[in-house]
Amino acid sequence: MKIGCHISVAKGLFQAVQRAHELGAESLQVFTKNPRGLRPKKIDYIDAEKGVDFMKELDIQLVAHTPYITNLSTFKEDLWAVTIRSIKEDLHIAETYGAIGAVVHCGKHVGEGEEYGIKRMIETLDVILEEYEGPTKLLLENTAGQGSELGLELETLVSIRESCKYPEKIGFCFDTCHAFAAGQWNGDTFDSFVEKMKETGYLDHLAAIHFNDSKAPFASKKDRHEKIGQGEIGSEALRKFLIHPFFEGLPVILETPVEDEAEYGEEMVYLRQLKGVVQ
């Protein structure tokens, strides 16, 4: 298991990897571009190459994250075209950064209905992936169920992947907070939930975990991250992921609220203590 955290890439990939290493991370996540925008980003290929080489030297894994505002299920043709262009670019950036995957949030049907939203999402994914031949997978992230968000249930995510023309180019990123807020799991149902991950085939394509506690209660449908052990999920329930053999080897990324990235260093120490790794 590669415990890590989200790091700013504002000063380049190489510096982001250096920062992650200083904090004790074995994995890191970076945004492909401004998380609140879809404007194209100029890539510093020299810096990216240095960052990738440094990650290989340190055996650090990287996960990329696409902007929050993309909507794979939008019915608006102009936004649909921009979303496709943006995520194609995100995949290129993620590949240049040596990322194992580029996380994308599932679609929102925005009043058009779940059936339409899922159909549109599959159509969008097919267009995005049609010409992409690189090694970086597009990772669908489960949602908390706010508003008209799709992709709460494991079965839905697996079905979307299987319905696409290029399922081999798609994987999953599991967010502990989102699934808890969506009412999909808690400490009492962990074992049965993990068994469902296996039975549905979801586990076979799981590439990364976003490891977050939740400010909001179970089944609240509210996406509110909290530091580990300070939220509604609690350390004991989250520890189950850290010690379960099914998740060994995966990058486990903290996205908890911090004022300074240095706080992630302390939190990663805590995660290793929970897991039982001697510091």
Side-chain angles (χ1 to χ4, degrees):
M1 186 170 286
K2 291 185 172 292
I3 293 173
C5 58
H6 189 94
I7 296 289
S8 172
V9 74
K11 295 182 179 179
L13 178 65
F14 180 62
Q15 189 159 320
V17 178
Q18 283 184 311
R19 182 60 171 154
H21 180 55
E22 289 169 2
L23 295 174
E26 299 160 314
S27 63
L28 75 154
Q29 177 177 271
V30 299
F31 283 119
T32 50
K33 56 170 75 84
N34 186 328
R36 304 293 178 186
L38 300 178
R39 292 180 62 183
K41 176 180 177 177
K42 185 177 180 180
I43 307 173
D44 184 337
Y45 288 96
I46 295 175
D47 170 76
E49 186 176 0
K50 284 177 62 180
V52 171
D53 288 344
F54 196 39
M55 283 189 289
K56 289 178 180 177
E57 179 185 331
L58 299 171
D59 192 25
I60 290 177
Q61 282 188 342
L62 182 126
V63 177
H65 200 304
T66 65
Y68 293 130
I69 64 172
T70 54
N71 183 4
L72 296 171
S73 299
T74 183
F75 62 89
K76 297 180 179 179
E77 290 298 326
D78 55 344
L79 182 56
W80 189 65
V82 171
T83 294
I84 290 170
R85 188 270 304 157
S86 179
I87 297 180
K88 282 183 176 181
E89 180 191 36
D90 293 330
L91 275 169
H92 173 65
I93 294 170
E95 181 180 343
T96 303
Y97 285 177
I100 61 168
V103 177
V104 62
H105 285 193
C106 283
K108 299 177 182 178
H109 64 74
V110 198
E112 297 296 307
E114 185 174 339
E115 183 178 351
Y116 170 85
I118 291 175
K119 182 179 178 181
R120 183 63 156 173
M121 187 173 166
I122 292 167
E123 178 186 3
T124 307
L125 288 168
D126 284 345
V127 173
I128 290 168
L129 296 171
E130 183 175 13
E131 297 176 356
Y132 181 70
E133 299 297 337
T136 302
K137 291 190 176 184
L138 201 58
L139 306 181
L140 303 181
E141 182 174 359
N142 59 301
T143 62
Q146 292 188 150
S148 63
E149 285 181 337
L150 303 165
L152 284 71
E153 303 89 359
L154 300 179
E155 296 91 340
T156 301
L157 291 160
V158 171
S159 176
I160 289 170
R161 180 185 179 277
E162 291 177 347
S163 298
C164 286
K165 293 179 182 177
Y166 313 100
E168 72 281 359
K169 301 179 184 181
I170 298 172
F172 302 119
C173 174
F174 178 74
D175 190 300
T176 55
C177 170
H178 295 178
F180 177 83
Q184 298 297 300
W185 85 283
N186 59 22
D188 294 333
T189 62
F190 174 83
D191 291 335
S192 60
F193 181 71
V194 171
E195 191 58 33
K196 184 188 289 187
M197 280 183 159
K198 183 178 180 181
E199 290 174 355
T200 57
Y202 178 90
L203 193 64
D204 294 335
H205 307 287
L206 180 60
I209 295 176
H210 284 168
F211 203 69
N212 305 299
D213 210 324
S214 175
K215 289 182 185 290
F218 177 72
S220 62
K221 302 292 177 68
K222 293 181 180 179
D223 180 7
R224 302 288 187 273
H225 296 187
E226 181 56 284
K227 287 189 174 183
I228 306 304
Q230 298 181 25
E232 295 289 328
I233 303 177
S235 297
E236 195 52 44
L238 286 165
R239 180 177 181 269
K240 295 174 187 283
F241 282 99
L242 296 175
I243 63 175
H244 200 290
F246 282 179
F247 308 109
E248 196 58 44
L250 292 176
V252 175
I253 307 290
L254 287 164
E255 295 180 317
T256 53
V258 296
E259 294 184 8
D260 188 292
E261 289 174 350
E263 296 173 46
Y264 281 136
E266 300 169 4
E267 203 165 7
M268 286 187 286
V269 169
Y270 180 51
L271 261 60
R272 292 185 176 104
Q273 289 171 346
L274 283 177
K275 183 174 170 56
V277 175
V278 177
Q279 295 297 304

